[in-house]
Structures are given as C-alpha cells and as structure tokens.
Amino acid sequence: MAKIVAGIATSHVPAIGVAMDKGNTATPYWEPLFRGYGPAREWLAKLKPDAAIIVFNDHASAFSLQLIPTFTIGVAERFPIADEGFGPRPVPEVRGYPDLAWHLAESLILDEFDMTIANEMPVDHGLTVPLSVTCGQPAQWPFPVIPLCVNVVQYPPPTGMRCFKLGRAIRRIVGEFAGDARVVIYGTGGMSHQLQGERAGLINRKFDTDFMDGLTRDPAALTRITHTEYMREAGSEGVEMVMWHVMRGALEDDVTEVYRHYHVPASNTAAGLIILENGSGA
Ligand code: DHB
Ligand code: FE
C-alpha cells in the first residue's frame, strides 16, 4: 500500500539555488538562511521517503503563454533541468515514477480533476530549488519525483480551495495504489513577494506567519483567502502559496508541525519552510 506520510512546504527563490550552485552558502548574507535548512535536511534524510510528489509552478520554462494548463502531472521516466537563460542548473536530472504518476493521472481525471498529462517536461527553479534546499547537493536525488505543476503565472490561478480539494483527492488515490510506497508531498512557492512594479520587494511577515500557523491548525480557513487578498497582503507572486494547499489537503486533518524556518531577505523576498507530519503527535 502507498501512503502520504508527511508534507513539506518551501519557497523556491532562484537565488537560493544559485547560492548553492556557486558555493556561496556560508557567506554572511546566506549563512543564516542555509543554517535553517539543516534540520529539514536531517529530518528528510531520516524519513527516507520512497517518492515525492512535488507541487510546483513553471515560470514560462516548460510552458509559455501559448499553452497554460491549470494542473499538469508529469508521467515521464525523467525530467530534464530547464535552461532559464543561464544554462540548466548543475543539479541531477529528476527521475520520475511513471507507475504512480499514471495511477494518479487516471484516477484524478476520473475523479473530475482535469489534469494535463506531460510525457515531457523540463523542470525549472520552481521544482529544483525545493529539492536543493531539502536534499542538499547529492549526485542523484534520493527519491523519484512526480512533478505536479500548477498555473500561478497567468490569471486566474486555481483557488486555494480547489488546490486543497486536489490534495484531498491525491491522498485517497495514493492510498489506492497497488504498490508499496511511503510518499512525501511538497507544496512550493511563496512566501510573500512581489518582483515588479511599485510594490516590488514587499514582505509581509505577519501574513506569512499567520499562514504557517493556519496551515497546521485551521487549513479550511486558509482556503478561503482570495486571489485579491494574496496579492494585496503577500504581493503579486505571493499567490504561489495556493500550492501549499495541495500539500495540506493531501495530509490528514490532524497534523503536527515538526519544523519551521522563516528568513528575510532571500534576494528581495521572504523564504519560508514548514514540515508537517500526519497525526496530532499525542
Ligand atoms: C524570484 C523568482 C521567483 O520565481 C520567486 O518565486 C521568487 C523570487 C526572483 O527572481 O528573485
Ligand atoms: Fe516563483
């Protein structure tokens, strides 16, 4: 039997990946951020999941404005690293998990989530930076990955509630898989950030903190946050946080927060990470 055993949410700021790739993580600017990733890496190395579902967004790397699927699932054997303008990041190719990915694709579509199926999909910093911050710099990623891509680039992205319901469906469908697998699910993107315009550099620590608190205690309330509210409170790219709801929906109602890290600034954004395990811990 397969089971989702835990969830991780993390920001995907590209400069964090560059700092790792260039060996700059111990500089005074970056050290406090990377110090906070240590416990998350230790936790994940100890958990040793068999696979990860990584809910992420593409930044016009695999898709362009010609094609904007709301939800895409990658069913390939492997996913190459996208060239985002400076050559692909020097990180391992991402191994897929076609058996579980096809099981998810089929059951999700029959469950009325109209997934786009990707047989080929280069993955950009939206997926590779979360892997880097949680796994470090191994020669191969320690587990196969099912990339689940959400449109948060072109209005309208799916609502938080839709994302949460997708997570709920994923939880059930993973449980129906014939194979054995302990699966971890990532929600990625966020936290508060705006990359352009008059409010560029916006950081809302209170919104980010309340969001992390709510994720554990009252995720249903968080799913009611509107797109306008994300943009007003967390900046235009803060809307990436809808992807965290997929992760939360895939966990049990009762979860325990086992770790949290929040740091400002990373580039001109806030970087957050939270780890949730199923069960109240009682
Ligand atoms: C930047 C890009 C992102 O996709 C993001 O989520 C945060 C920051 C950037 O270019 O700095
Ligand atoms: Fe982004």
Side-chain angles (χ1 to χ4, degrees), residues 140-152:
Q140 295 297 329
W141 299 118
F143 37 71
V145 170
I146 297 172
L148 199 157
C149 183
V150 179
N151 165 46
V152 293

Side-chain angles (χ1 to χ4, degrees), residues 13-159:
V13 187
I16 295 173
V18 176
M20 291 183 71
D21 300 342
K22 294 199 179 299
N24 291 335
T25 58
T27 63
Y29 179 85
W30 288 112
E31 194 277 334
L33 172 73
F34 282 98
R35 186 174 352 120
Y37 289 140
R41 285 185 199 160
E42 284 163 28
W43 172 85
L44 188 61
K46 211 161 137 203
L47 186 73
K48 282 197 184 19
D50 299 306
I53 297 169
I54 303 190
V55 181
F56 78 109
N57 74 284
D58 178 70
H59 300 75
S61 302
F63 306 116
S64 67
L65 291 182
Q66 272 137 347
L67 183 65
I68 308 168
T70 299
F71 295 121
T72 304
I73 185 163
V75 296
E77 295 273 358
R78 54 187 52 86
F79 301 93
I81 308 302
D83 182 346
E84 299 180 63
F86 302 95
R89 285 191 62 209
V91 295
E93 194 173 67
V94 173
R95 268 180 304 136
Y97 191 164
D99 285 355
L100 181 54
W102 272 110
H103 168 71
L104 275 162
E106 287 175 11
S107 298
L108 283 170
I109 291 167
L110 296 176
D111 200 20
E112 300 170 358
F113 284 92
D114 303 319
M115 310 300 289
T116 295
I117 295 172
N119 286 304
E120 272 180 42
M121 182 164 60
V123 288
D124 72 13
H125 72 270
L127 186 131
T128 63
V129 169
L131 273 176
S132 293
V133 300
T134 52
C135 302
Q137 294 169 295
Q140 295 297 329
W141 299 118
F143 37 71
V145 170
I146 297 172
L148 199 157
C149 183
V150 179
N151 165 46
V152 293
V153 169
Q154 168 69 56
Y155 187 83
T159 62

